[in-house]
């Protein structure tokens, strides 16, 4: 590592104030910080020490997403790799351009966004749609608000919502998941040449949420393992739970938002299912267990709802935030015109998060003031 450090030390003068590559200083600093921790020091107090810096936080989130990536690679094959590469390249270019224009550092936040975005896309999404979506999400979801830590919306969800509404026909590229010991991992032309495997074509088979009304829904075990059609990272509940365990074990995410989302989602779903079954004209609302295993409720609750920037900062606010998202998701799924309501619910929760924190903080201040007044 000392050899790499020497390379950065020799190149640094060219990126400083009078250097010929000064305009690319944010890119140089981001590359250096990828290998080494920043050597900047605080000048005045207070000095707060915490081992969980942004880089470590983002790194652990990426580690928790690895089970979902591996499951997607097993079930859908090599077609997910170009989507992930496109997301990182296009989104990274947007980040670099904006950082250079602002003369600010490139933050590590995009490392997570660049991986989250392709995981919420169908496996056969055209690469240009992926590029448009991640560029829109990064710029209008984060950079327009000032960058990492200042964004109001989750960039990955905003980009997904945009392409889902703007390019709906291009977002219907569902792929039948592979089965067997190797799944679709050999569905790549070098392997097909030697092993006789062929790349799967996009199909029009409905996702579990749509298939339930037709009576052609997959089994609970298939949905739990991920042997269903759906978005890349959302099909395997098992992989998502492994990622959730990693986040909770290393204290990366706050469990309150996830639990509140799932409990409110399950409670309202159970109520609506019971009412529907007793009605004269049942609308075929799925039961709770089917709702939990289908669609993006589990993935969103674990990786999206817990976003520390776009969710409330107070514990009570996180619970209210989760209740809003879980309830809205059920209402959209059962009563709306879209089979999946998680992305709309999260965006609504993002809008409400600052207001929720404001109300909670005002209530605490008022209560504290009342106690102080009584003591005096």
């Amino acid at each position: 590592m000392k050899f790499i450090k020497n390379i950065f030390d020799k190149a640094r003068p060219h990126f400083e104030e009078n250097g010929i590559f000064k305009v690319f200083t944010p890119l140089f600093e981001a590359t250096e910080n990828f290998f080494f921790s920043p050597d900047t020091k605080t000048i005045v107090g207070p000095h707060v020490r915490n081992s969980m810096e942004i880089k470590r936080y983002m790194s652990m989130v990426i580690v928790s997403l690895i089970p979902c990536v591996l499951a997607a690679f097993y079930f859908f094959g090599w077609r997910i790799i170009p989507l992930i590469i496109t997301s990182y390249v296009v989104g990274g270019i947007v980040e670099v351009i904006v950082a250079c224009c602002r003369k600010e550092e490139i933050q590590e936040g995009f490392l997570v966004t660049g991986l989250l975005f392709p995981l919420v896309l169908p496996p056969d999404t055209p690469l240009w749609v992926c590029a448009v979506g991640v560029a829109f999400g990064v710029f209008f979801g984060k950079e327009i608000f000032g960058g990492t830590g200042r964004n109001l919306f989750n960039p990955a969800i905003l980009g997904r919502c945009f392409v889902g509404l703007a390019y709906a026909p291009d977002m219907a590229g569902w792929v039948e998941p592979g089965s067997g010991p190797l799944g679709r991992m050999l569905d790549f032309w070098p392997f097909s040449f030697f092993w006789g495997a062929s790349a799967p074509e996009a199909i029009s088979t409905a996702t579990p949420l749509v298939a339930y009304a037709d009576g052609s829904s997959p089994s609970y075990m298939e949905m739990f393992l991920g042997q269903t059609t759906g978005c890349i990272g959302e099909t395997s509940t098992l992989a998502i739970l492994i990622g959730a365990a990693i986040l909770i074990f290393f204290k990366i995410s706050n469990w309150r938002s996830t639990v509140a989302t799932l409990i409110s989602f399950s409670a309202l779903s159970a109520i609506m299912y019971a009412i529907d079954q007793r009605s004269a004209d049942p609308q075929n609302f799925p039961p709770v267990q089917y709702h939990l295993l289908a669609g993006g409720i589990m993935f969103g609750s674990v990786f999206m709802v817990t976003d520390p920037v776009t969710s409330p900062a107070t514990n009570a606010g996180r619970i209210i935030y989760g209740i809003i998202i879980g309830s809205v998701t059920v209402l959209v799924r059962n009563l709306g015109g879209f089979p999946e309501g998680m992305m709309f619910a999260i965006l609504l929760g993002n809008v409400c998060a600052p207001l929720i924190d404001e109300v909670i903080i005002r209530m605490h201040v008022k209560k504290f003031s009342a106690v102080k007044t009584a003591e005096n």
Side-chain angles (χ1 to χ4, degrees), residues 2 21 50 65 68 144 155-157 190 195-196 203 215 217 227 245 265 274 285 295 303 340 347 354 356 371-372:
K2 186 177 181 181
F21 300 121
N50 191 332
L65 286 168
C68 294
I144 201 171
I157 288 295
W195 300 96
I203 59 176
S217 56
Q227 295 176 326
F265 177 89
F285 293 167
F303 298 109
E340 177 61 78
L347 291 179
I356 293 173
V371 171
K372 284 296 183 180

Side-chain angles (χ1 to χ4, degrees), residues 34-372:
F34 178 80
F35 292 95
F36 307 100
S37 297
D39 58 358
T40 55
K41 299 179 180 179
T42 54
I43 300 176
V44 297
H47 305 287
V48 180
R49 296 182 179 271
N50 191 332
S51 60
M52 190 53 66
E53 60 177 353
I54 295 179
K55 183 185 296 184
R56 290 190 177 93
Y57 180 93
M58 297 302 174
S59 299
M60 291 309 304
V61 175
I62 291 176
V63 169
S64 68
L65 286 168
I66 289 178
C68 294
V69 175
L70 294 178
F73 179 60
Y74 172 81
F75 288 116
F76 302 118
W78 288 81
R79 65 179 65 223
I80 73 168
I81 304 300
L83 288 173
I84 294 176
I85 294 175
T86 300
S87 176
Y88 270 122
V89 170
V90 175
I93 291 175
V94 175
E95 288 262 351
V96 170
I97 292 176
V98 174
C100 291
C101 292
R102 290 176 175 166
K103 299 180 180 180
E104 297 178 352
E105 295 182 357
I106 300 175
Q107 299 295 330
E108 293 89 348
F110 178 70
L111 294 177
V112 173
T113 302
L115 185 57
L116 278 176
F117 180 73
L119 292 180
V120 295
L121 297 176
D124 206 52
T125 300
L127 295 183
W128 68 268
V129 174
C130 177
V132 171
V134 73
F136 182 92
V138 170
F139 184 77
F140 290 101
K142 183 173 66 172
E143 298 301 341
I144 201 171
F145 293 100
T148 301
R150 302 183 183 93
N151 49 297
L152 175 63
F153 297 104
N154 184 301
I157 288 295
L158 185 65
R160 174 62 174 86
C161 185
F162 173 73
V163 296
L165 296 176
Y167 309 107
D170 298 296
M171 298 290 291
W174 308 114
V175 174
E176 191 70 39
S179 58
L182 297 178
R184 291 201 181 278
M185 292 188 293
L186 299 183
D187 292 343
F188 190 49
W189 70 266
F191 298 106
S192 64
F193 179 79
F194 291 104
W195 300 96
S198 59
E201 297 295 333
I203 59 176
S204 58
T205 302
T207 57
L209 287 173
V210 177
Y212 182 83
D214 302 331
S216 59
S217 56
S219 66
Y220 290 143
M221 182 55 67
E222 288 176 332
M223 289 192 292
F224 179 76
L225 296 177
Q227 295 176 326
T228 63
T229 55
C231 294
I232 292 174
E234 297 178 351
T235 58
S236 178
T237 304
L238 175 60
I240 295 171
L241 291 178
I242 294 174
I246 294 174
L247 291 177
I248 294 175
F249 179 80
F250 289 101
K251 298 180 180 180
I252 301 299
S253 64
N254 193 296
W255 57 268
R256 292 173 179 82
S257 299
T258 299
V259 172
T261 300
L262 295 177
I263 290 179
S264 61
F265 177 89
S266 301
L268 184 56
S269 178
I271 293 172
M272 296 187 70
Y273 176 73
I275 295 175
D276 181 60
Q277 293 300 305
R278 292 171 180 255
S279 64
D281 183 24
Q283 300 298 315
N284 293 318
F285 293 167
V288 176
Q289 60 272 25
Y290 193 92
H291 260 307
L292 287 173
L293 296 175
I297 178 64
M298 293 300 299
F299 187 86
S301 298
V302 172
F303 298 109
M304 302 292 193
V305 174
T306 55
D307 180 13
V309 177
T310 57
S311 62
T314 58
N315 287 334
R318 293 187 179 105
I319 295 175
I320 298 174
Y321 179 74
I323 292 174
I324 292 174
I325 293 177
S327 302
V328 172
T329 303
V330 175
L331 294 175
V332 174
R333 282 188 177 188
N334 288 341
L335 304 178
F338 293 88
E340 177 61 78
M342 192 62 182
M343 61 180 178
F344 300 112
I346 292 176
L347 291 179
L348 177 62
N350 293 163
V351 174
C352 297
L355 178 60
I356 293 173
D357 267 344
E358 179 71 15
V359 172
I360 297 296
I361 292 174
R362 284 180 179 271
M363 291 176 61
H364 281 299
V365 171
K366 185 176 181 180
K367 181 179 179 180
F368 180 79
S369 300
V371 171
K372 284 296 183 180

